[in-house]
Amino acid sequence: MTLLALGVALFAVCHLTLALPEAKAALRRRLGKFFGPGFGVVSLLPLVLIVLGWRSAPLEIVYDAPSWGRMATFILVLVAFLCLGIFLFRGKLRQALRFPLAWGVVFWSVGHLCANGDVASLILFGGMLLYALAHLGLGFANGVRPSPEIRQGHDVISIIIGVALYGVFAQLHPLFTGVPVVTLTL
């Protein structure tokens, strides 16, 4: 569980930098054109730690998930992926949500906490929920806003991409987590 907690903590530290304009600007100045790719590479380490930590964590139940938990997860994770799609494109929805990726993490986390009551889930989804709320709080407090550039048609594209990513990740979920999203029995 230490690996999982470490991964979540590193993820939060890496990404909270983006909600602090002065820290982000300093990194951008220091790294120059390597800021984007460098941040992407550095962001992969916490994700690897999270996946490895999750897969190696023992199942220790803290609470029984409610009967409606799985359905809530399907809906909230779909909303999370719609937020991801909105984050990826420069439409009016991105301006309206202001922090679509952080909102997506909130929906993803809450959804998974509705369906999972074990210690590893509390560390992962609870930790990511705390990170996303901190990101939103810091972002709003510091007046962070997305680029004002709005591109025609990007709202529609963002929704289509969000739904497509939801479908793709539902198929890849067992690969990363060892847990199938849906199990079909005959």
PDB file of all heavy atoms in Angstrom, residues 53-92:
ATOM      1  N   GLY A  53       1.179  -0.286  -7.362  1.00  0.00           N
ATOM      2  CA  GLY A  53       0.700  -0.306  -5.980  1.00  0.00           C
ATOM      3  C   GLY A  53      -0.699  -0.866  -5.862  1.00  0.00           C
ATOM      4  O   GLY A  53      -1.009  -1.639  -4.949  1.00  0.00           O
ATOM      5  N   TRP A  54      -1.562  -0.502  -6.799  1.00  0.00           N
ATOM      6  CA  TRP A  54      -2.950  -0.993  -6.797  1.00  0.00           C
ATOM      7  C   TRP A  54      -2.976  -2.504  -7.004  1.00  0.00           C
ATOM      8  O   TRP A  54      -3.664  -3.229  -6.291  1.00  0.00           O
ATOM      9  CB  TRP A  54      -3.751  -0.296  -7.894  1.00  0.00           C
ATOM     10  CG  TRP A  54      -5.128  -0.841  -8.041  1.00  0.00           C
ATOM     11  CD1 TRP A  54      -5.541  -1.816  -8.893  1.00  0.00           C
ATOM     12  CD2 TRP A  54      -6.268  -0.475  -7.270  1.00  0.00           C
ATOM     13  NE1 TRP A  54      -6.873  -2.070  -8.724  1.00  0.00           N
ATOM     14  CE2 TRP A  54      -7.346  -1.254  -7.730  1.00  0.00           C
ATOM     15  CE3 TRP A  54      -6.495   0.448  -6.253  1.00  0.00           C
ATOM     16  CZ2 TRP A  54      -8.623  -1.140  -7.200  1.00  0.00           C
ATOM     17  CZ3 TRP A  54      -7.755   0.562  -5.735  1.00  0.00           C
ATOM     18  CH2 TRP A  54      -8.815  -0.227  -6.196  1.00  0.00           C
ATOM     19  N   ARG A  55      -2.235  -2.947  -7.986  1.00  0.00           N
ATOM     20  CA  ARG A  55      -2.263  -4.379  -8.313  1.00  0.00           C
ATOM     21  C   ARG A  55      -1.647  -5.245  -7.216  1.00  0.00           C
ATOM     22  O   ARG A  55      -1.986  -6.411  -7.098  1.00  0.00           O
ATOM     23  CB  ARG A  55      -1.574  -4.611  -9.651  1.00  0.00           C
ATOM     24  CG  ARG A  55      -2.395  -3.986 -10.797  1.00  0.00           C
ATOM     25  CD  ARG A  55      -1.860  -4.370 -12.125  1.00  0.00           C
ATOM     26  NE  ARG A  55      -1.997  -5.792 -12.345  1.00  0.00           N
ATOM     27  CZ  ARG A  55      -2.833  -6.362 -13.203  1.00  0.00           C
ATOM     28  NH1 ARG A  55      -3.630  -5.618 -13.910  1.00  0.00           N
ATOM     29  NH2 ARG A  55      -2.864  -7.653 -13.356  1.00  0.00           N
ATOM     30  N   SER A  56      -0.761  -4.687  -6.404  1.00  0.00           N
ATOM     31  CA  SER A  56      -0.117  -5.474  -5.347  1.00  0.00           C
ATOM     32  C   SER A  56      -0.793  -5.308  -3.984  1.00  0.00           C
ATOM     33  O   SER A  56      -0.405  -5.981  -3.023  1.00  0.00           O
ATOM     34  CB  SER A  56       1.359  -5.094  -5.231  1.00  0.00           C
ATOM     35  OG  SER A  56       1.498  -3.766  -4.778  1.00  0.00           O
ATOM     36  N   ALA A  57      -1.786  -4.440  -3.889  1.00  0.00           N
ATOM     37  CA  ALA A  57      -2.437  -4.169  -2.600  1.00  0.00           C
ATOM     38  C   ALA A  57      -3.364  -5.326  -2.217  1.00  0.00           C
ATOM     39  O   ALA A  57      -4.139  -5.809  -3.049  1.00  0.00           O
ATOM     40  CB  ALA A  57      -3.226  -2.873  -2.671  1.00  0.00           C
ATOM     41  N   PRO A  58      -3.322  -5.755  -0.961  1.00  0.00           N
ATOM     42  CA  PRO A  58      -4.255  -6.795  -0.514  1.00  0.00           C
ATOM     43  C   PRO A  58      -5.662  -6.211  -0.368  1.00  0.00           C
ATOM     44  O   PRO A  58      -5.821  -5.004  -0.177  1.00  0.00           O
ATOM     45  CB  PRO A  58      -3.692  -7.206   0.851  1.00  0.00           C
ATOM     46  CG  PRO A  58      -2.954  -6.001   1.330  1.00  0.00           C
ATOM     47  CD  PRO A  58      -2.421  -5.321   0.108  1.00  0.00           C
ATOM     48  N   LEU A  59      -6.652  -7.064  -0.474  1.00  0.00           N
ATOM     49  CA  LEU A  59      -8.037  -6.628  -0.340  1.00  0.00           C
ATOM     50  C   LEU A  59      -8.407  -6.593   1.145  1.00  0.00           C
ATOM     51  O   LEU A  59      -8.527  -7.640   1.781  1.00  0.00           O
ATOM     52  CB  LEU A  59      -8.974  -7.568  -1.104  1.00  0.00           C
ATOM     53  CG  LEU A  59     -10.458  -7.188  -1.060  1.00  0.00           C
ATOM     54  CD1 LEU A  59     -10.685  -5.842  -1.730  1.00  0.00           C
ATOM     55  CD2 LEU A  59     -11.299  -8.261  -1.734  1.00  0.00           C
ATOM     56  N   GLU A  60      -8.555  -5.399   1.675  1.00  0.00           N
ATOM     57  CA  GLU A  60      -8.960  -5.199   3.066  1.00  0.00           C
ATOM     58  C   GLU A  60     -10.199  -4.313   3.067  1.00  0.00           C
ATOM     59  O   GLU A  60     -10.114  -3.115   2.833  1.00  0.00           O
ATOM     60  CB  GLU A  60      -7.837  -4.536   3.871  1.00  0.00           C
ATOM     61  CG  GLU A  60      -6.577  -5.361   3.941  1.00  0.00           C
ATOM     62  CD  GLU A  60      -5.432  -4.628   4.621  1.00  0.00           C
ATOM     63  OE1 GLU A  60      -5.677  -3.676   5.393  1.00  0.00           O
ATOM     64  OE2 GLU A  60      -4.276  -5.016   4.374  1.00  0.00           O
ATOM     65  N   ILE A  61     -11.354  -4.906   3.322  1.00  0.00           N
ATOM     66  CA  ILE A  61     -12.628  -4.195   3.252  1.00  0.00           C
ATOM     67  C   ILE A  61     -12.807  -3.275   4.465  1.00  0.00           C
ATOM     68  O   ILE A  61     -12.608  -3.690   5.608  1.00  0.00           O
ATOM     69  CB  ILE A  61     -13.816  -5.187   3.171  1.00  0.00           C
ATOM     70  CG1 ILE A  61     -13.654  -6.106   1.950  1.00  0.00           C
ATOM     71  CG2 ILE A  61     -15.146  -4.464   3.139  1.00  0.00           C
ATOM     72  CD1 ILE A  61     -13.680  -5.399   0.619  1.00  0.00           C
ATOM     73  N   VAL A  62     -13.198  -2.032   4.190  1.00  0.00           N
ATOM     74  CA  VAL A  62     -13.482  -1.051   5.240  1.00  0.00           C
ATOM     75  C   VAL A  62     -14.989  -0.864   5.375  1.00  0.00           C
ATOM     76  O   VAL A  62     -15.519  -0.768   6.475  1.00  0.00           O
ATOM     77  CB  VAL A  62     -12.809   0.306   4.934  1.00  0.00           C
ATOM     78  CG1 VAL A  62     -13.179   1.363   5.962  1.00  0.00           C
ATOM     79  CG2 VAL A  62     -11.303   0.136   4.846  1.00  0.00           C
ATOM     80  N   TYR A  63     -15.686  -0.802   4.234  1.00  0.00           N
ATOM     81  CA  TYR A  63     -17.142  -0.660   4.242  1.00  0.00           C
ATOM     82  C   TYR A  63     -17.724  -1.401   3.042  1.00  0.00           C
ATOM     83  O   TYR A  63     -17.046  -1.625   2.053  1.00  0.00           O
ATOM     84  CB  TYR A  63     -17.575   0.823   4.236  1.00  0.00           C
ATOM     85  CG  TYR A  63     -17.185   1.596   2.991  1.00  0.00           C
ATOM     86  CD1 TYR A  63     -18.015   1.633   1.867  1.00  0.00           C
ATOM     87  CD2 TYR A  63     -15.993   2.310   2.934  1.00  0.00           C
ATOM     88  CE1 TYR A  63     -17.669   2.343   0.741  1.00  0.00           C
ATOM     89  CE2 TYR A  63     -15.633   3.024   1.810  1.00  0.00           C
ATOM     90  CZ  TYR A  63     -16.476   3.042   0.716  1.00  0.00           C
ATOM     91  OH  TYR A  63     -16.130   3.746  -0.401  1.00  0.00           O
ATOM     92  N   ASP A  64     -18.977  -1.798   3.185  1.00  0.00           N
ATOM     93  CA  ASP A  64     -19.673  -2.450   2.080  1.00  0.00           C
ATOM     94  C   ASP A  64     -20.247  -1.379   1.163  1.00  0.00           C
ATOM     95  O   ASP A  64     -20.958  -0.477   1.617  1.00  0.00           O
ATOM     96  CB  ASP A  64     -20.811  -3.336   2.599  1.00  0.00           C
ATOM     97  CG  ASP A  64     -20.283  -4.579   3.293  1.00  0.00           C
ATOM     98  OD1 ASP A  64     -19.235  -5.090   2.862  1.00  0.00           O
ATOM     99  OD2 ASP A  64     -20.918  -5.024   4.272  1.00  0.00           O
ATOM    100  N   ALA A  65     -19.926  -1.482  -0.121  1.00  0.00           N
ATOM    101  CA  ALA A  65     -20.446  -0.522  -1.092  1.00  0.00           C
ATOM    102  C   ALA A  65     -21.949  -0.698  -1.219  1.00  0.00           C
ATOM    103  O   ALA A  65     -22.463  -1.818  -1.135  1.00  0.00           O
ATOM    104  CB  ALA A  65     -19.774  -0.746  -2.441  1.00  0.00           C
ATOM    105  N   PRO A  66     -22.682   0.393  -1.419  1.00  0.00           N
ATOM    106  CA  PRO A  66     -24.130   0.283  -1.574  1.00  0.00           C
ATOM    107  C   PRO A  66     -24.505  -0.459  -2.851  1.00  0.00           C
ATOM    108  O   PRO A  66     -23.708  -0.526  -3.794  1.00  0.00           O
ATOM    109  CB  PRO A  66     -24.601   1.745  -1.624  1.00  0.00           C
ATOM    110  CG  PRO A  66     -23.406   2.523  -2.028  1.00  0.00           C
ATOM    111  CD  PRO A  66     -22.210   1.774  -1.533  1.00  0.00           C
ATOM    112  N   SER A  67     -25.705  -0.970  -2.891  1.00  0.00           N
ATOM    113  CA  SER A  67     -26.158  -1.749  -4.053  1.00  0.00           C
ATOM    114  C   SER A  67     -26.184  -0.905  -5.330  1.00  0.00           C
ATOM    115  O   SER A  67     -26.013  -1.429  -6.418  1.00  0.00           O
ATOM    116  CB  SER A  67     -27.543  -2.337  -3.781  1.00  0.00           C
ATOM    117  OG  SER A  67     -28.465  -1.294  -3.532  1.00  0.00           O
ATOM    118  N   TRP A  68     -26.400   0.374  -5.209  1.00  0.00           N
ATOM    119  CA  TRP A  68     -26.449   1.263  -6.370  1.00  0.00           C
ATOM    120  C   TRP A  68     -25.061   1.788  -6.753  1.00  0.00           C
ATOM    121  O   TRP A  68     -24.921   2.548  -7.712  1.00  0.00           O
ATOM    122  CB  TRP A  68     -27.384   2.444  -6.108  1.00  0.00           C
ATOM    123  CG  TRP A  68     -27.154   3.105  -4.779  1.00  0.00           C
ATOM    124  CD1 TRP A  68     -27.824   2.846  -3.621  1.00  0.00           C
ATOM    125  CD2 TRP A  68     -26.164   4.093  -4.455  1.00  0.00           C
ATOM    126  NE1 TRP A  68     -27.323   3.624  -2.602  1.00  0.00           N
ATOM    127  CE2 TRP A  68     -26.308   4.399  -3.087  1.00  0.00           C
ATOM    128  CE3 TRP A  68     -25.179   4.742  -5.184  1.00  0.00           C
ATOM    129  CZ2 TRP A  68     -25.495   5.326  -2.437  1.00  0.00           C
ATOM    130  CZ3 TRP A  68     -24.372   5.665  -4.542  1.00  0.00           C
ATOM    131  CH2 TRP A  68     -24.540   5.952  -3.188  1.00  0.00           C
ATOM    132  N   GLY A  69     -24.036   1.377  -6.034  1.00  0.00           N
ATOM    133  CA  GLY A  69     -22.689   1.906  -6.235  1.00  0.00           C
ATOM    134  C   GLY A  69     -22.123   1.700  -7.625  1.00  0.00           C
ATOM    135  O   GLY A  69     -21.529   2.605  -8.208  1.00  0.00           O
ATOM    136  N   ARG A  70     -22.307   0.503  -8.184  1.00  0.00           N
ATOM    137  CA  ARG A  70     -21.751   0.245  -9.522  1.00  0.00           C
ATOM    138  C   ARG A  70     -22.420   1.107 -10.586  1.00  0.00           C
ATOM    139  O   ARG A  70     -21.751   1.633 -11.476  1.00  0.00           O
ATOM    140  CB  ARG A  70     -21.879  -1.230  -9.881  1.00  0.00           C
ATOM    141  CG  ARG A  70     -20.857  -2.099  -9.158  1.00  0.00           C
ATOM    142  CD  ARG A  70     -20.962  -3.580  -9.524  1.00  0.00           C
ATOM    143  NE  ARG A  70     -20.860  -3.873 -10.939  1.00  0.00           N
ATOM    144  CZ  ARG A  70     -19.714  -4.050 -11.605  1.00  0.00           C
ATOM    145  NH1 ARG A  70     -18.575  -3.949 -10.975  1.00  0.00           N
ATOM    146  NH2 ARG A  70     -19.716  -4.336 -12.886  1.00  0.00           N
ATOM    147  N   MET A  71     -23.742   1.268 -10.482  1.00  0.00           N
ATOM    148  CA  MET A  71     -24.448   2.100 -11.461  1.00  0.00           C
ATOM    149  C   MET A  71     -23.997   3.559 -11.332  1.00  0.00           C
ATOM    150  O   MET A  71     -23.771   4.246 -12.337  1.00  0.00           O
ATOM    151  CB  MET A  71     -25.962   1.995 -11.289  1.00  0.00           C
ATOM    152  CG  MET A  71     -26.739   2.738 -12.348  1.00  0.00           C
ATOM    153  SD  MET A  71     -26.332   2.304 -14.061  1.00  0.00           S
ATOM    154  CE  MET A  71     -26.891   0.637 -14.150  1.00  0.00           C
ATOM    155  N   ALA A  72     -23.841   4.035 -10.097  1.00  0.00           N
ATOM    156  CA  ALA A  72     -23.354   5.398  -9.878  1.00  0.00           C
ATOM    157  C   ALA A  72     -21.960   5.558 -10.482  1.00  0.00           C
ATOM    158  O   ALA A  72     -21.644   6.592 -11.085  1.00  0.00           O
ATOM    159  CB  ALA A  72     -23.334   5.725  -8.388  1.00  0.00           C
ATOM    160  N   THR A  73     -21.144   4.525 -10.348  1.00  0.00           N
ATOM    161  CA  THR A  73     -19.790   4.580 -10.908  1.00  0.00           C
ATOM    162  C   THR A  73     -19.834   4.711 -12.423  1.00  0.00           C
ATOM    163  O   THR A  73     -19.123   5.544 -12.999  1.00  0.00           O
ATOM    164  CB  THR A  73     -18.985   3.331 -10.510  1.00  0.00           C
ATOM    165  OG1 THR A  73     -18.969   3.244  -9.096  1.00  0.00           O
ATOM    166  CG2 THR A  73     -17.560   3.404 -11.030  1.00  0.00           C
ATOM    167  N   PHE A  74     -20.659   3.913 -13.091  1.00  0.00           N
ATOM    168  CA  PHE A  74     -20.768   3.997 -14.552  1.00  0.00           C
ATOM    169  C   PHE A  74     -21.127   5.419 -14.988  1.00  0.00           C
ATOM    170  O   PHE A  74     -20.536   5.963 -15.916  1.00  0.00           O
ATOM    171  CB  PHE A  74     -21.819   3.020 -15.094  1.00  0.00           C
ATOM    172  CG  PHE A  74     -21.421   1.587 -15.022  1.00  0.00           C
ATOM    173  CD1 PHE A  74     -22.284   0.651 -14.475  1.00  0.00           C
ATOM    174  CD2 PHE A  74     -20.193   1.147 -15.493  1.00  0.00           C
ATOM    175  CE1 PHE A  74     -21.933  -0.685 -14.398  1.00  0.00           C
ATOM    176  CE2 PHE A  74     -19.826  -0.187 -15.426  1.00  0.00           C
ATOM    177  CZ  PHE A  74     -20.703  -1.105 -14.871  1.00  0.00           C
ATOM    178  N   ILE A  75     -22.096   6.026 -14.309  1.00  0.00           N
ATOM    179  CA  ILE A  75     -22.569   7.364 -14.688  1.00  0.00           C
ATOM    180  C   ILE A  75     -21.522   8.427 -14.369  1.00  0.00           C
ATOM    181  O   ILE A  75     -21.190   9.270 -15.209  1.00  0.00           O
ATOM    182  CB  ILE A  75     -23.905   7.671 -13.980  1.00  0.00           C
ATOM    183  CG1 ILE A  75     -24.991   6.723 -14.505  1.00  0.00           C
ATOM    184  CG2 ILE A  75     -24.310   9.127 -14.180  1.00  0.00           C
ATOM    185  CD1 ILE A  75     -26.254   6.680 -13.667  1.00  0.00           C
ATOM    186  N   LEU A  76     -20.980   8.396 -13.151  1.00  0.00           N
ATOM    187  CA  LEU A  76     -20.011   9.420 -12.750  1.00  0.00           C
ATOM    188  C   LEU A  76     -18.708   9.322 -13.547  1.00  0.00           C
ATOM    189  O   LEU A  76     -18.099  10.342 -13.876  1.00  0.00           O
ATOM    190  CB  LEU A  76     -19.743   9.335 -11.249  1.00  0.00           C
ATOM    191  CG  LEU A  76     -20.918   9.756 -10.368  1.00  0.00           C
ATOM    192  CD1 LEU A  76     -20.641   9.426  -8.901  1.00  0.00           C
ATOM    193  CD2 LEU A  76     -21.233  11.229 -10.545  1.00  0.00           C
ATOM    194  N   VAL A  77     -18.288   8.119 -13.882  1.00  0.00           N
ATOM    195  CA  VAL A  77     -17.072   7.971 -14.685  1.00  0.00           C
ATOM    196  C   VAL A  77     -17.321   8.441 -16.118  1.00  0.00           C
ATOM    197  O   VAL A  77     -16.428   9.032 -16.738  1.00  0.00           O
ATOM    198  CB  VAL A  77     -16.522   6.531 -14.615  1.00  0.00           C
ATOM    199  CG1 VAL A  77     -15.386   6.319 -15.601  1.00  0.00           C
ATOM    200  CG2 VAL A  77     -16.049   6.233 -13.193  1.00  0.00           C
ATOM    201  N   LEU A  78     -18.519   8.237 -16.646  1.00  0.00           N
ATOM    202  CA  LEU A  78     -18.843   8.795 -17.959  1.00  0.00           C
ATOM    203  C   LEU A  78     -18.732  10.319 -17.915  1.00  0.00           C
ATOM    204  O   LEU A  78     -18.128  10.935 -18.798  1.00  0.00           O
ATOM    205  CB  LEU A  78     -20.243   8.379 -18.409  1.00  0.00           C
ATOM    206  CG  LEU A  78     -20.752   9.046 -19.696  1.00  0.00           C
ATOM    207  CD1 LEU A  78     -19.823   8.760 -20.873  1.00  0.00           C
ATOM    208  CD2 LEU A  78     -22.172   8.616 -19.993  1.00  0.00           C
ATOM    209  N   VAL A  79     -19.288  10.943 -16.884  1.00  0.00           N
ATOM    210  CA  VAL A  79     -19.176  12.401 -16.732  1.00  0.00           C
ATOM    211  C   VAL A  79     -17.701  12.804 -16.630  1.00  0.00           C
ATOM    212  O   VAL A  79     -17.272  13.805 -17.205  1.00  0.00           O
ATOM    213  CB  VAL A  79     -19.986  12.896 -15.512  1.00  0.00           C
ATOM    214  CG1 VAL A  79     -19.739  14.376 -15.245  1.00  0.00           C
ATOM    215  CG2 VAL A  79     -21.475  12.626 -15.709  1.00  0.00           C
ATOM    216  N   ALA A  80     -16.910  12.002 -15.914  1.00  0.00           N
ATOM    217  CA  ALA A  80     -15.478  12.285 -15.786  1.00  0.00           C
ATOM    218  C   ALA A  80     -14.800  12.264 -17.151  1.00  0.00           C
ATOM    219  O   ALA A  80     -13.979  13.136 -17.459  1.00  0.00           O
ATOM    220  CB  ALA A  80     -14.824  11.273 -14.846  1.00  0.00           C
ATOM    221  N   PHE A  81     -15.129  11.282 -17.985  1.00  0.00           N
ATOM    222  CA  PHE A  81     -14.514  11.208 -19.305  1.00  0.00           C
ATOM    223  C   PHE A  81     -15.013  12.322 -20.218  1.00  0.00           C
ATOM    224  O   PHE A  81     -14.271  12.797 -21.077  1.00  0.00           O
ATOM    225  CB  PHE A  81     -14.716   9.826 -19.934  1.00  0.00           C
ATOM    226  CG  PHE A  81     -13.641   8.862 -19.544  1.00  0.00           C
ATOM    227  CD1 PHE A  81     -13.814   8.018 -18.465  1.00  0.00           C
ATOM    228  CD2 PHE A  81     -12.442   8.822 -20.236  1.00  0.00           C
ATOM    229  CE1 PHE A  81     -12.810   7.136 -18.082  1.00  0.00           C
ATOM    230  CE2 PHE A  81     -11.426   7.945 -19.872  1.00  0.00           C
ATOM    231  CZ  PHE A  81     -11.611   7.109 -18.785  1.00  0.00           C
ATOM    232  N   LEU A  82     -16.242  12.765 -20.039  1.00  0.00           N
ATOM    233  CA  LEU A  82     -16.720  13.936 -20.781  1.00  0.00           C
ATOM    234  C   LEU A  82     -15.887  15.158 -20.386  1.00  0.00           C
ATOM    235  O   LEU A  82     -15.506  15.966 -21.240  1.00  0.00           O
ATOM    236  CB  LEU A  82     -18.203  14.184 -20.517  1.00  0.00           C
ATOM    237  CG  LEU A  82     -19.154  13.127 -21.077  1.00  0.00           C
ATOM    238  CD1 LEU A  82     -20.580  13.410 -20.644  1.00  0.00           C
ATOM    239  CD2 LEU A  82     -19.056  13.043 -22.594  1.00  0.00           C
ATOM    240  N   CYS A  83     -15.593  15.283 -19.092  1.00  0.00           N
ATOM    241  CA  CYS A  83     -14.733  16.382 -18.619  1.00  0.00           C
ATOM    242  C   CYS A  83     -13.337  16.279 -19.230  1.00  0.00           C
ATOM    243  O   CYS A  83     -12.742  17.297 -19.609  1.00  0.00           O
ATOM    244  CB  CYS A  83     -14.642  16.380 -17.091  1.00  0.00           C
ATOM    245  SG  CYS A  83     -16.156  16.900 -16.260  1.00  0.00           S
ATOM    246  N   LEU A  84     -12.813  15.069 -19.353  1.00  0.00           N
ATOM    247  CA  LEU A  84     -11.508  14.874 -19.993  1.00  0.00           C
ATOM    248  C   LEU A  84     -11.554  15.337 -21.445  1.00  0.00           C
ATOM    249  O   LEU A  84     -10.658  16.043 -21.911  1.00  0.00           O
ATOM    250  CB  LEU A  84     -11.085  13.400 -19.917  1.00  0.00           C
ATOM    251  CG  LEU A  84      -9.821  13.022 -20.686  1.00  0.00           C
ATOM    252  CD1 LEU A  84      -8.607  13.792 -20.188  1.00  0.00           C
ATOM    253  CD2 LEU A  84      -9.587  11.517 -20.606  1.00  0.00           C
ATOM    254  N   GLY A  85     -12.605  14.950 -22.161  1.00  0.00           N
ATOM    255  CA  GLY A  85     -12.755  15.401 -23.546  1.00  0.00           C
ATOM    256  C   GLY A  85     -12.823  16.918 -23.636  1.00  0.00           C
ATOM    257  O   GLY A  85     -12.198  17.532 -24.509  1.00  0.00           O
ATOM    258  N   ILE A  86     -13.547  17.534 -22.719  1.00  0.00           N
ATOM    259  CA  ILE A  86     -13.654  18.995 -22.693  1.00  0.00           C
ATOM    260  C   ILE A  86     -12.292  19.624 -22.415  1.00  0.00           C
ATOM    261  O   ILE A  86     -11.931  20.639 -23.005  1.00  0.00           O
ATOM    262  CB  ILE A  86     -14.704  19.427 -21.636  1.00  0.00           C
ATOM    263  CG1 ILE A  86     -16.101  19.022 -22.122  1.00  0.00           C
ATOM    264  CG2 ILE A  86     -14.615  20.924 -21.354  1.00  0.00           C
ATOM    265  CD1 ILE A  86     -17.171  19.084 -21.050  1.00  0.00           C
ATOM    266  N   PHE A  87     -11.507  19.010 -21.545  1.00  0.00           N
ATOM    267  CA  PHE A  87     -10.163  19.509 -21.240  1.00  0.00           C
ATOM    268  C   PHE A  87      -9.264  19.482 -22.472  1.00  0.00           C
ATOM    269  O   PHE A  87      -8.442  20.372 -22.677  1.00  0.00           O
ATOM    270  CB  PHE A  87      -9.543  18.659 -20.117  1.00  0.00           C
ATOM    271  CG  PHE A  87      -8.077  18.894 -19.926  1.00  0.00           C
ATOM    272  CD1 PHE A  87      -7.625  20.028 -19.274  1.00  0.00           C
ATOM    273  CD2 PHE A  87      -7.144  17.988 -20.404  1.00  0.00           C
ATOM    274  CE1 PHE A  87      -6.265  20.258 -19.109  1.00  0.00           C
ATOM    275  CE2 PHE A  87      -5.786  18.202 -20.235  1.00  0.00           C
ATOM    276  CZ  PHE A  87      -5.342  19.346 -19.589  1.00  0.00           C
ATOM    277  N   LEU A  88      -9.412  18.474 -23.307  1.00  0.00           N
ATOM    278  CA  LEU A  88      -8.511  18.285 -24.442  1.00  0.00           C
ATOM    279  C   LEU A  88      -8.749  19.260 -25.590  1.00  0.00           C
ATOM    280  O   LEU A  88      -7.881  19.409 -26.455  1.00  0.00           O
ATOM    281  CB  LEU A  88      -8.623  16.849 -24.961  1.00  0.00           C
ATOM    282  CG  LEU A  88      -8.147  15.762 -24.003  1.00  0.00           C
ATOM    283  CD1 LEU A  88      -8.495  14.384 -24.545  1.00  0.00           C
ATOM    284  CD2 LEU A  88      -6.662  15.900 -23.731  1.00  0.00           C
ATOM    285  N   PHE A  89      -9.905  19.929 -25.619  1.00  0.00           N
ATOM    286  CA  PHE A  89     -10.247  20.816 -26.727  1.00  0.00           C
ATOM    287  C   PHE A  89     -10.604  22.207 -26.223  1.00  0.00           C
ATOM    288  O   PHE A  89     -10.966  22.389 -25.072  1.00  0.00           O
ATOM    289  CB  PHE A  89     -11.388  20.211 -27.559  1.00  0.00           C
ATOM    290  CG  PHE A  89     -10.980  18.953 -28.257  1.00  0.00           C
ATOM    291  CD1 PHE A  89     -11.162  17.721 -27.649  1.00  0.00           C
ATOM    292  CD2 PHE A  89     -10.377  18.998 -29.503  1.00  0.00           C
ATOM    293  CE1 PHE A  89     -10.752  16.551 -28.274  1.00  0.00           C
ATOM    294  CE2 PHE A  89      -9.964  17.843 -30.136  1.00  0.00           C
ATOM    295  CZ  PHE A  89     -10.151  16.611 -29.525  1.00  0.00           C
ATOM    296  N   ARG A  90     -10.530  23.186 -27.091  1.00  0.00           N
ATOM    297  CA  ARG A  90     -10.701  24.592 -26.704  1.00  0.00           C
ATOM    298  C   ARG A  90     -12.080  25.123 -27.077  1.00  0.00           C
ATOM    299  O   ARG A  90     -12.202  26.070 -27.851  1.00  0.00           O
ATOM    300  CB  ARG A  90      -9.627  25.449 -27.348  1.00  0.00           C
ATOM    301  CG  ARG A  90      -8.234  25.067 -26.920  1.00  0.00           C
ATOM    302  CD  ARG A  90      -7.213  26.051 -27.443  1.00  0.00           C
ATOM    303  NE  ARG A  90      -5.878  25.655 -27.118  1.00  0.00           N
ATOM    304  CZ  ARG A  90      -5.272  25.877 -25.959  1.00  0.00           C
ATOM    305  NH1 ARG A  90      -5.921  26.485 -24.991  1.00  0.00           N
ATOM    306  NH2 ARG A  90      -4.034  25.487 -25.764  1.00  0.00           N
ATOM    307  N   GLY A  91     -13.119  24.523 -26.504  1.00  0.00           N
ATOM    308  CA  GLY A  91     -14.470  24.991 -26.758  1.00  0.00           C
ATOM    309  C   GLY A  91     -14.984  25.879 -25.630  1.00  0.00           C
ATOM    310  O   GLY A  91     -14.279  26.176 -24.663  1.00  0.00           O
ATOM    311  N   LYS A  92     -16.230  26.301 -25.756  1.00  0.00           N
ATOM    312  CA  LYS A  92     -16.860  27.125 -24.729  1.00  0.00           C
ATOM    313  C   LYS A  92     -17.042  26.347 -23.426  1.00  0.00           C
ATOM    314  O   LYS A  92     -17.022  26.927 -22.349  1.00  0.00           O
ATOM    315  CB  LYS A  92     -18.218  27.630 -25.222  1.00  0.00           C
ATOM    316  CG  LYS A  92     -18.114  28.632 -26.336  1.00  0.00           C
ATOM    317  CD  LYS A  92     -19.488  29.060 -26.810  1.00  0.00           C
ATOM    318  CE  LYS A  92     -19.349  29.981 -28.012  1.00  0.00           C
ATOM    319  NZ  LYS A  92     -20.653  30.320 -28.588  1.00  0.00           N
TER     320      LYS A  92
END
